[in-house]
């Protein structure tokens, strides 16, 4: 059924039911967004009808407003709250959605100011700028929380006094508004002033929530506007390619004189070289800073240096299977001592005899376990 074919109250109730349904669904899913957009369409139709009928005027007070029409003051708040749930992929889309929500919420706050629903104490507590002192700011947050909790408790107490709504418990704000919309007519013997007090308290409760929404929206807008602009992917790739090309062109190997190659076929350098930028001025400056009177060029290659170190005995060689299989010094001496008939053989045999004799004297003077005299087991 189109919005033109149903009444104002039924249209508002349908939008509230749709908005209440999406609270239990994933916000980013396509099905949820379809319901949200449908609810916004109905809510804007309700707001258009209210403006056409002229239900509210800045020249009247809340006491002069009909009890049946008070609930429709909440239409701008519901529009702003539902608008904040609209999915936005790009930052510009989110900024536009926040702007629409800000317009609706500010309209609701301004309407309550026109009807003088909010007391000066509530405005000072919720709408004033937070202090710079952290302790005072924390105390302000605590006072705001206590005030909101007191208002919600007052709303529940007033609702429970009404016979029609005492058995209905609202699980969210949209169900609460729908319940007020369904039970806006007075029962027989019901005090109208008590009903209007309920509506005034509900308006105060949603005013505090609207102020909180506006503060959150303001902070989010600042974050989105300070974020760096999103660059096009193709443009980013072209820029990165151009930057790499400029880097490759600005640095290169110093070209040798006479066309000689700097590297051999295996990639080893044949002569000292430097890496300098292609700019002649920068090249000359760097060369002037490096090649000074105390600068020394290498006099040999790395391989030549390693060979020289090996000759000096600065390298530890051996190890592995070859070292394991090699004869020990004792075995070499035994083998040399067996060379009979030669001078070297006799000398090695005498050296082997002296070593065995010295070892026998040492073991005789130092029996096994001789060193463990203080800590015997």
């Amino acid at each position: 059924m189109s919005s033109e074919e149903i009444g104002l109250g039924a249209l508002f109730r349908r939008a509230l039911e749709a908005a209440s349904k999406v609270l239990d669904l994933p916000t980013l899913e396509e099905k949820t967004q379809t319901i949200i957009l449908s609810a916004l369409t109905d809510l804007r139709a309700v707001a258009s009808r209210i403006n056409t009928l002229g239900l509210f005027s800045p020249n009247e007070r809340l006491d002069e407003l009909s009890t049946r029409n008070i609930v429709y003051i909440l239409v701008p708040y519901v529009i702003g709250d539902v608008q904040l749930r609209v999915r936005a992929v790009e930052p510009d889309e989110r900024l536009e959605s926040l702007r629409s929500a800000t317009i609706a919420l500010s309209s609701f706050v301004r309407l309550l100011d026109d009807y003088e629903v909010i007391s000066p104490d509530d405005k000072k507590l919720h709408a004033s700028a937070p202090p710079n002192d952290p302790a005072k700011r924390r105390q302000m947050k605590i006072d705001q929380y206590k005030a909101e909790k007191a208002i919600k408790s007052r709303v529940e107490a007033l609702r429970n006094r009404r016979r029609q709504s005492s058995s209905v418990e609202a699980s969210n704000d949209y169900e609460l508004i729908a319940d007020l919309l369904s039970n806006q007519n007075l029962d027989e013997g019901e005090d109208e002033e008590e009903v209007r007090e309920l509506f005034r308290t509900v308006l105060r409760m949603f005013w505090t929530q609207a102020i909180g929404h506006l503060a959150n929206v303001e902070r989010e807008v600042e974050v989105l506007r300070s974020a760096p602009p999103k660059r096009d992917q193709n443009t980013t790739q072209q820029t990165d390619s151009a930057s790499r090309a400029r880097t490759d062109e600005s640095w290169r190997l110093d070209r040798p004189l006479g066309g000689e190659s700097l590297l051999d076929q295996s990639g080893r350098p044949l002569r000292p070289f430097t890496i300098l930028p292609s700019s002649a001025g920068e090249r000359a400056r760097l060369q002037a800073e490096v090649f000074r009177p105390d600068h020394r060029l290498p006099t040999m290659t790395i391989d030549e240096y390693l060979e020289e170190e090996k000759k000096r005995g600065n390298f530890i060689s051996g190890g592995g299977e070859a070292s394991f299989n090699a004869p020990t010094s004792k075995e070499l001496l035994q083998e040399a001592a067996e060379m009979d008939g030669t001078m070297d053989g006799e000398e090695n045999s005498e050296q082997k005899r002296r070593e065995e004799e010295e070892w026998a004297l040492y073991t005789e003077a130092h029996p096994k376990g001789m060193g463990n005299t203080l800590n015997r087991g």
Side-chain angles (χ1 to χ4, degrees):
M1 183 180 296
S2 62
S3 59
E4 291 82 3
E5 298 176 359
I6 60 178
L8 180 63
L11 184 61
F12 190 22
R13 188 177 300 107
R14 186 174 74 176
L16 291 171
E17 291 175 356
S20 177
K21 186 186 301 182
V22 301
L23 295 180
D24 299 326
L25 300 175
T27 306
L28 299 180
E29 286 191 359
E30 193 66 32
K31 178 182 177 182
T32 306
Q33 290 299 311
T34 302
I35 299 176
I36 290 176
L37 295 178
S38 175
L40 280 175
T41 301
D42 290 343
L43 289 170
R44 292 192 175 101
V46 171
S48 177
R49 287 197 192 182
I50 290 175
N51 292 332
T52 302
L53 296 174
L55 295 183
F56 309 118
S57 172
N59 298 323
E60 61 182 358
R61 300 171 56 188
L62 187 64
D63 296 338
E64 301 172 357
L65 189 63
S66 171
T67 305
R68 293 172 50 87
N69 297 336
I70 294 178
V71 69
Y72 293 106
I73 296 179
L74 294 168
V75 172
Y77 170 82
V78 179
I79 292 176
D81 191 57
V82 175
Q83 182 67 46
L84 292 175
R85 305 178 189 276
V86 174
R87 180 182 59 192
V89 179
E90 300 295 334
D92 293 340
E93 296 177 359
R94 182 59 179 172
L95 284 172
E96 181 62 26
S97 180
L98 294 176
R99 188 186 69 85
S100 300
T102 301
I103 292 175
L105 294 172
S106 300
S107 175
F108 170 70
V109 172
R110 187 167 52 253
L111 190 59
L112 294 188
D113 288 340
D114 293 340
Y115 280 105
E116 299 179 354
V117 178
I118 309 303
S119 65
D121 293 338
D122 287 342
K123 291 181 181 179
K124 181 179 179 181
L125 178 60
H126 295 279
S128 59
N132 295 327
D133 186 9
K136 293 182 179 180
R137 186 163 57 247
R138 179 177 179 275
Q139 185 61 41
M140 183 178 182
K141 292 285 187 182
I142 295 175
D143 294 341
Q144 290 176 350
Y145 172 76
K146 290 181 178 180
E148 292 177 11
K149 188 175 181 181
I151 293 175
K152 291 180 180 179
S153 299
R154 177 62 176 168
V155 169
E156 290 301 318
L158 292 173
R159 289 184 66 237
N160 291 332
R161 291 182 186 177
R162 300 191 65 190
R163 288 188 298 273
Q164 285 186 329
S165 61
S166 59
S167 60
V168 178
E169 183 176 357
S171 60
N172 55 64
D173 293 341
Y174 302 135
E175 290 184 0
L176 172 61
I177 300 173
D179 180 64
L180 296 178
L181 182 64
S182 301
N183 298 288
Q184 57 184 335
N185 296 325
L186 296 176
D187 294 338
E188 183 179 355
E190 190 173 11
D191 186 5
E192 182 178 3
E193 184 58 33
E194 188 173 314
V195 175
R196 295 180 71 89
E197 175 64 21
L198 170 62
F199 279 97
R200 280 194 295 267
T201 309
V202 169
L203 292 177
R204 289 177 56 205
M205 183 183 71
F206 284 110
W207 177 85
T208 59
Q209 296 181 187
I211 294 297
H213 287 336
L214 289 173
N216 294 334
V217 167
E218 184 178 358
R219 286 192 290 269
E220 185 175 354
V221 168
E222 290 180 1
V223 172
L224 291 174
R225 287 178 176 173
S226 61
K230 184 178 180 180
R231 296 189 299 174
D232 182 68
Q233 186 174 3
N234 296 330
T235 305
T236 303
Q237 293 177 353
Q238 293 176 1
T239 304
D240 293 342
S241 299
S243 177
R244 286 195 297 269
R246 287 194 299 269
T247 303
D248 295 340
E249 292 175 357
S250 60
W251 293 90
R252 59 178 175 78
L253 285 174
D254 187 17
R255 293 181 181 178
L257 298 176
E260 299 178 0
S261 177
L262 291 176
L263 305 176
D264 61 9
Q265 294 181 354
S266 61
R268 294 182 178 180
L270 299 176
R271 58 184 292 273
F273 63 88
T274 56
I275 301 177
L276 295 172
S278 58
S279 173
E282 185 70 10
R283 175 190 180 100
R285 186 184 68 82
L286 292 176
Q287 285 181 341
E289 291 180 356
V290 174
F291 296 104
R292 299 195 176 212
D294 59 345
H295 182 79
R296 296 180 181 179
L297 290 174
T299 58
M300 62 178 68
T301 64
I302 295 178
D303 293 336
E304 293 173 348
Y305 171 75
L306 295 177
E307 289 295 334
E308 187 67 24
E309 289 295 313
K310 286 181 180 178
K311 293 178 182 179
R312 295 176 181 176
N314 294 334
F315 274 80
I316 300 177
S317 60
E321 186 176 358
S323 178
F324 178 78
N325 296 329
T328 63
S329 60
K330 195 171 184 179
E331 293 173 345
L332 291 175
L333 183 59
Q334 175 69 26
E335 182 180 353
E338 294 176 356
M339 299 173 61
D340 296 334
T342 62
M343 184 177 297
D344 291 338
E346 293 178 359
E347 292 179 355
N348 292 328
S349 178
E350 180 64 21
Q351 180 181 356
K352 181 174 180 298
R353 186 192 65 77
R354 286 198 306 269
E355 290 182 357
E356 291 177 351
E357 184 178 354
E358 290 174 358
W359 178 250
L361 293 174
Y362 178 83
T363 54
E364 184 180 353
H366 301 84
K368 186 177 180 180
M370 188 66 180
N372 189 19
T373 59
L374 297 179
N375 190 22
R376 291 180 177 177

